[in-house]
Amino acid sequence: MTAERDLWLHRAVECPDAHRRLIAFPHAGGSASFYREWGRHLPGTDVLGVRYPGRAERIDEPAPTDLVRLGGQIAAALAGLDDLPLVLFGHSMGAVVALETARALQARGVRPAHLVASGSRAAPLPPPAPADSDGDDLALRLAALGGTDPEMLADPFFQELVLPYIRSDGEMFHGYAHRTGPVLHCPITTIVGDVDGDADRRPWPELTDAGFREHVVPGHHFYLVDRPPYGLLTDLAEVGR
């Protein structure tokens, strides 16, 4: 990959016989390493995790503040990678970053093969979050939901390093003004845990003219920590071939 692509995208597992690419967008406070094992479980799939600024390898950069702009930057980094079908998979906040990336790709003349919005369900938009809902307590809860070890959560160095960008992501996400268009020309699939009380709510069927499906799976908001949706993603690939 080029230097610009290496900045934004991480391939943990090589897949020389790939017949599609899965672009994986992390949740708020997440990083590309969240998806580091996925390439081992999705045959024929070139898995690229998205590297957001302000964390991990990009810790010295400012965290993003504009979700639409972030989607445009990621779309630019994906230029030239549409030689294989592009499936965009995003979890929680990452689902909306994937949506804006898909829109930016479409504006560039690239139609994604599929958008998968995980940790989100089809429903009317909720009311705006309270102004103080993204403090350190919420950031710690998000980190805990994502599987972070409790001892690590209590570590002052961890809190100093990680909480700022979790909080920043939350502010960016809740500051995002939902847009009804442009409508996508690719199918959208949502995946939501059956006991997920933190699922993003969004009118997904209205955001595409190419079909919508919702899958309910066992688990809470971070169902995919213990049960990554490999089977579903493999089935989507077979349908698209």
Side-chain angles (χ1 to χ4, degrees):
M1 293 194 291
T2 66
E4 180 67 13
R5 286 178 186 165
D6 282 341
L7 186 66
W8 285 96
L9 304 167
H10 176 62
R11 178 186 288 117
V13 179
E14 296 291 335
C15 187
D17 61 344
H19 56 76
R20 66 166 180 168
R21 288 197 169 92
L22 180 74
I23 312 303
F25 297 76
H27 53 280
S31 65
S33 64
F34 187 79
Y35 299 106
R36 63 183 174 272
E37 296 297 321
W38 283 37
R40 304 186 192 281
H41 302 276
L42 294 169
T45 305
D46 181 23
V47 178
L48 297 173
V50 176
R51 288 172 162 163
Y52 301 146
R55 72 216 63 202
E57 302 86 354
R58 306 182 67 180
I59 191 68
D60 292 331
E61 300 176 47
T65 58
D66 185 317
L67 196 146
V68 175
R69 181 171 181 267
L70 177 62
Q73 291 172 317
I74 297 167
L78 290 170
L81 291 179
D82 59 326
D83 56 320
L84 296 177
L86 293 175
V87 177
L88 308 187
F89 177 97
H91 182 69
S92 197
M93 180 193 80
V96 185
V97 181
L99 167 65
E100 290 299 339
T101 301
R103 285 170 164 170
L105 284 170
Q106 194 166 272
R108 289 170 166 264
V110 176
R111 181 184 298 185
H114 213 113
L115 171 63
V116 182
S118 170
S120 186
R121 63 186 177 91
L125 285 172
D132 62 349
S133 65
D134 290 311
D136 286 350
D137 287 345
L138 178 57
L140 284 169
R141 187 170 70 86
L142 285 172
L145 282 172
T148 303
D149 185 270
E151 290 186 10
M152 187 177 293
L153 288 175
D155 183 86
F157 177 74
F158 174 87
Q159 293 188 18
E160 181 181 359
L161 183 69
V162 174
L163 289 190
Y165 65 76
I166 298 180
R167 186 168 55 247
S168 176
D169 282 354
E171 291 170 355
M172 175 178 69
F173 184 37
H174 290 296
Y176 167 76
H178 174 77
R179 304 189 296 161
T180 57
V183 170
L184 294 181
H185 305 315
C186 68
I188 294 177
T189 295
T190 58
I191 310 175
V192 61
D194 60 356
V195 291
D196 182 0
D198 297 292
D200 175 50
R201 288 157 33 198
R202 206 157 296 274
W204 291 105
E206 301 172 12
L207 306 182
T208 177
D209 60 11
F212 168 81
R213 294 184 66 186
E214 183 157 285
H215 290 264
V216 179
V217 299
H220 53 62
H221 192 54
F222 277 90
Y223 73 89
L224 72 175
V225 171
D226 297 321
R227 299 185 183 89
Y230 300 141
L232 173 59
L233 291 172
T234 300
D235 291 344
L236 290 180
E238 293 304 316
V239 169
R241 294 183 72 181

